[in-house]
Amino acid sequence: NLEKRRVKYATQIRRSETMVRRLEHERDLYNQLINELRIKAPSNGMVVYSKGWDGNKVKTGSFVSRWDPIILSLPDLSTLVSETYIREVDFAKIKTGLNVRIKIDAFPGKEFEGKVAEIANVGQTIPGEQQIGFKTLIKVDQANELLLPSMTTSNSIILQSWSEALIIPRKAIFNIEN
Protein backbone atom coordinates (compact mmCIF):
# COMPACT_ATOMS: atom_id res chain seq x y z
CA ASN A 1 0.00 0.00 0.00
CA LEU A 2 2.82 2.36 0.95
CA GLU A 3 4.65 1.61 -2.28
CA LYS A 4 1.50 2.34 -4.35
CA ARG A 5 1.08 5.69 -2.60
CA ARG A 6 4.74 6.50 -3.16
CA VAL A 7 4.40 5.78 -6.89
CA LYS A 8 1.13 7.74 -7.05
CA TYR A 9 2.61 10.81 -5.34
CA ALA A 10 5.81 10.61 -7.38
CA THR A 11 3.69 10.63 -10.56
CA GLN A 12 1.70 13.64 -9.29
CA ILE A 13 4.95 15.47 -8.47
CA ARG A 14 6.36 14.78 -11.97
CA ARG A 15 3.12 16.05 -13.56
CA SER A 16 3.17 19.16 -11.37
CA GLU A 17 6.84 19.80 -12.20
CA THR A 18 6.05 19.44 -15.91
CA MET A 19 3.17 21.90 -15.53
CA VAL A 20 5.41 24.36 -13.66
CA ARG A 21 8.08 24.12 -16.40
CA ARG A 22 5.44 24.69 -19.09
CA LEU A 23 3.99 27.73 -17.25
CA GLU A 24 7.50 29.15 -16.65
CA HIS A 25 8.26 28.74 -20.37
CA GLU A 26 4.98 30.49 -21.24
CA ARG A 27 5.80 33.30 -18.76
CA ASP A 28 9.24 33.71 -20.35
CA LEU A 29 7.64 33.95 -23.81
CA TYR A 30 5.22 36.63 -22.58
CA ASN A 31 8.07 38.58 -20.96
CA GLN A 32 10.06 38.35 -24.19
CA LEU A 33 7.01 39.57 -26.15
CA ILE A 34 6.55 42.52 -23.78
CA ASN A 35 10.24 43.45 -24.07
CA GLU A 36 10.20 43.23 -27.88
CA LEU A 37 6.81 44.86 -28.45
CA ARG A 38 7.21 48.35 -29.85
CA ILE A 39 4.35 50.21 -31.45
CA LYS A 40 5.57 52.73 -34.02
CA ALA A 41 3.43 55.21 -35.94
CA PRO A 42 4.26 55.77 -39.61
CA SER A 43 4.20 59.55 -39.04
CA ASN A 44 3.77 62.18 -36.35
CA GLY A 45 0.28 62.83 -35.08
CA MET A 46 -2.31 62.02 -32.48
CA VAL A 47 -2.79 58.43 -31.37
CA VAL A 48 -6.34 57.26 -30.65
CA TYR A 49 -7.18 54.00 -28.88
CA SER A 50 -9.41 51.79 -30.98
CA LYS A 51 -12.54 49.99 -29.81
CA GLY A 52 -12.63 46.26 -29.19
CA TRP A 53 -15.22 43.75 -30.39
CA ASP A 54 -17.45 44.65 -27.43
CA GLY A 55 -17.46 48.36 -28.28
CA ASN A 56 -15.29 49.39 -25.32
CA LYS A 57 -12.04 51.28 -25.74
CA VAL A 58 -8.87 49.23 -25.73
CA LYS A 59 -6.87 50.12 -22.63
CA THR A 60 -4.18 48.72 -20.38
CA GLY A 61 -5.09 45.14 -19.52
CA SER A 62 -7.46 44.66 -22.47
CA PHE A 63 -7.33 41.37 -24.34
CA VAL A 64 -6.02 41.69 -27.90
CA SER A 65 -6.79 38.76 -30.15
CA ARG A 66 -5.03 37.72 -33.31
CA TRP A 67 -8.28 38.22 -35.23
CA ASP A 68 -8.62 41.84 -34.10
CA PRO A 69 -5.06 43.02 -33.37
CA ILE A 70 -5.73 46.78 -33.70
CA ILE A 71 -4.82 48.63 -30.51
CA LEU A 72 -4.32 52.20 -31.73
CA SER A 73 -5.05 54.23 -34.79
CA LEU A 74 -3.53 57.38 -36.18
CA PRO A 75 -6.42 59.57 -37.39
CA ASP A 76 -5.98 61.68 -40.50
CA LEU A 77 -6.58 65.18 -39.14
CA SER A 78 -6.38 66.73 -42.61
CA THR A 79 -9.85 65.37 -43.47
CA LEU A 80 -12.17 65.84 -40.53
CA VAL A 81 -15.70 64.47 -40.57
CA SER A 82 -18.63 65.35 -38.31
CA GLU A 83 -21.13 62.55 -37.77
CA THR A 84 -24.78 63.42 -37.21
CA TYR A 85 -28.21 61.82 -37.59
CA ILE A 86 -31.00 63.17 -39.79
CA ARG A 87 -34.52 62.41 -38.59
CA GLU A 88 -36.55 60.40 -41.06
CA VAL A 89 -39.05 63.25 -41.55
CA ASP A 90 -36.18 65.45 -42.84
CA PHE A 91 -34.46 62.71 -44.85
CA ALA A 92 -36.04 63.69 -48.22
CA LYS A 93 -34.72 67.28 -47.90
CA ILE A 94 -31.06 66.34 -47.42
CA LYS A 95 -28.70 65.72 -50.34
CA THR A 96 -24.96 65.26 -50.60
CA GLY A 97 -23.10 68.47 -51.38
CA LEU A 98 -25.31 70.75 -49.26
CA ASN A 99 -23.43 73.38 -47.26
CA VAL A 100 -23.28 72.98 -43.49
CA ARG A 101 -22.45 75.39 -40.67
CA ILE A 102 -20.61 73.56 -37.92
CA LYS A 103 -20.32 74.84 -34.36
CA ILE A 104 -18.01 73.14 -31.89
CA ASP A 105 -19.24 73.10 -28.28
CA ALA A 106 -15.68 73.62 -27.03
CA PHE A 107 -15.35 76.88 -29.04
CA PRO A 108 -18.65 78.79 -28.73
CA GLY A 109 -17.57 81.79 -30.85
CA LYS A 110 -16.12 79.83 -33.77
CA GLU A 111 -18.01 78.52 -36.75
CA PHE A 112 -16.70 76.18 -39.41
CA GLU A 113 -18.01 75.27 -42.83
CA GLY A 114 -18.54 71.87 -44.37
CA LYS A 115 -20.52 69.87 -46.87
CA VAL A 116 -22.74 66.81 -46.58
CA ALA A 117 -20.49 64.01 -47.80
CA GLU A 118 -22.49 60.85 -47.22
CA ILE A 119 -26.00 59.86 -46.14
CA ALA A 120 -26.86 56.35 -44.98
CA ASN A 121 -29.55 54.61 -47.01
CA VAL A 122 -30.80 52.58 -44.05
CA GLY A 123 -32.25 54.21 -40.94
CA GLN A 124 -31.33 53.23 -37.42
CA THR A 125 -32.29 54.25 -33.91
CA ILE A 126 -30.61 57.53 -32.98
CA PRO A 127 -28.38 56.95 -29.93
CA GLY A 128 -30.03 58.35 -26.80
CA GLU A 129 -33.38 58.97 -28.51
CA GLN A 130 -36.49 56.98 -29.37
CA GLN A 131 -36.63 57.85 -33.05
CA ILE A 132 -35.25 56.62 -36.33
CA GLY A 133 -32.54 58.60 -38.11
CA PHE A 134 -30.11 58.32 -40.97
CA LYS A 135 -26.42 58.58 -40.19
CA THR A 136 -24.95 61.52 -42.11
CA LEU A 137 -21.27 62.37 -42.53
CA ILE A 138 -20.27 66.00 -42.97
CA LYS A 139 -16.80 66.80 -44.31
CA VAL A 140 -15.25 69.87 -42.67
CA ASP A 141 -13.82 72.17 -45.34
CA GLN A 142 -10.94 73.84 -43.54
CA ALA A 143 -8.49 71.78 -41.53
CA ASN A 144 -7.73 73.48 -38.22
CA GLU A 145 -5.47 72.46 -35.35
CA LEU A 146 -8.27 73.39 -32.91
CA LEU A 147 -10.42 70.53 -34.16
CA LEU A 148 -9.78 67.16 -32.59
CA PRO A 149 -11.48 63.76 -32.91
CA SER A 150 -14.59 63.12 -30.78
CA MET A 151 -15.46 66.79 -30.23
CA THR A 152 -19.18 67.51 -29.93
CA THR A 153 -20.62 69.49 -32.83
CA SER A 154 -23.85 71.26 -33.70
CA ASN A 155 -24.52 71.03 -37.42
CA SER A 156 -26.88 73.30 -39.37
CA ILE A 157 -27.52 72.02 -42.88
CA ILE A 158 -28.39 74.88 -45.24
CA LEU A 159 -31.21 73.80 -47.54
CA GLN A 160 -31.67 77.16 -49.30
CA SER A 161 -30.01 80.55 -49.16
CA TRP A 162 -30.66 83.92 -50.71
CA SER A 163 -27.81 86.30 -51.41
CA GLU A 164 -30.03 89.40 -51.68
CA ALA A 165 -32.87 89.39 -49.21
CA LEU A 166 -34.41 92.02 -46.99
CA ILE A 167 -34.62 90.86 -43.40
CA ILE A 168 -36.96 92.67 -41.04
CA PRO A 169 -37.28 91.61 -37.40
CA ARG A 170 -40.77 90.38 -36.54
CA LYS A 171 -41.03 92.90 -33.69
CA ALA A 172 -40.61 95.76 -36.19
CA ILE A 173 -43.83 94.83 -37.98
CA PHE A 174 -47.02 96.12 -36.38
CA ASN A 175 -50.48 97.25 -37.36
CA ILE A 176 -52.10 100.47 -36.16
CA GLU A 177 -55.84 100.15 -36.03
CA ASN A 178 -58.06 103.17 -36.78
Side-chain angles (χ1 to χ4, degrees):
N1 230 0
L2 179 64
E3 194 58 36
K4 284 183 181 180
R5 280 190 181 171
R6 210 177 271 166
V7 170
K8 176 183 170 187
Y9 291 135
T11 304
Q12 286 179 346
I13 289 172
R14 279 195 308 276
R15 287 181 183 161
S16 297
E17 287 172 344
T18 304
M19 177 64 82
V20 167
R21 279 194 302 277
R22 191 173 338 145
L23 291 173
E24 285 175 343
H25 178 68
E26 195 173 317
R27 181 199 62 204
D28 293 341
L29 287 175
Y30 283 133
N31 286 333
Q32 180 183 358
L33 177 65
I34 288 170
N35 291 332
E36 293 176 1
L37 179 65
R38 297 286 178 260
I39 300 172
K40 294 182 181 181
S43 63
N44 292 335
M46 175 189 298
V47 175
V48 177
Y49 285 102
S50 66
K51 291 189 177 184
W53 62 271
D54 57 355
N56 294 326
K57 260 188 182 178
V58 174
K59 57 186 176 205
T60 304
S62 294
F63 179 76
V64 179
S65 74
R66 69 172 59 156
W67 296 280
D68 189 18
I70 298 171
I71 300 171
L72 306 167
S73 64
L74 192 66
D76 181 11
L77 297 178
S78 64
T79 56
L80 293 174
V81 174
S82 176
E83 181 181 296
T84 189
Y85 288 86
I86 303 298
R87 293 178 298 168
E88 70 179 317
V89 294
D90 298 327
F91 177 72
K93 300 174 193 172
I94 307 301
K95 297 178 182 82
T96 57
L98 287 175
N99 292 326
V100 181
R101 270 186 258 132
I102 303 165
K103 292 182 181 177
I104 310 290
D105 291 354
F107 310 112
K110 293 224 177 236
E111 192 172 276
F112 301 92
E113 293 181 6
K115 292 194 182 298
V116 175
E118 189 178 318
I119 305 167
N121 56 3
V122 176
Q124 61 188 49
T125 304
I126 298 173
E129 295 187 26
Q130 296 292 329
Q131 53 182 307
I132 299 294
F134 293 83
K135 188 175 182 179
T136 304
L137 300 179
I138 299 166
K139 185 174 184 245
V140 180
D141 286 341
Q142 63 269 58
N144 192 317
E145 63 267 358
L146 294 175
L147 302 177
L148 300 172
S150 298
M151 285 186 147
T152 307
T153 62
S154 299
N155 303 304
S156 299
I157 299 174
I158 301 168
L159 298 175
Q160 289 181 338
S161 65
W162 295 272
S163 58
E164 295 180 25
L166 178 63
I167 299 174
I168 301 172
R170 188 176 286 195
K171 291 181 180 179
I173 301 173
F174 56 93
N175 186 7
I176 301 175
E177 294 184 24
N178 296 340

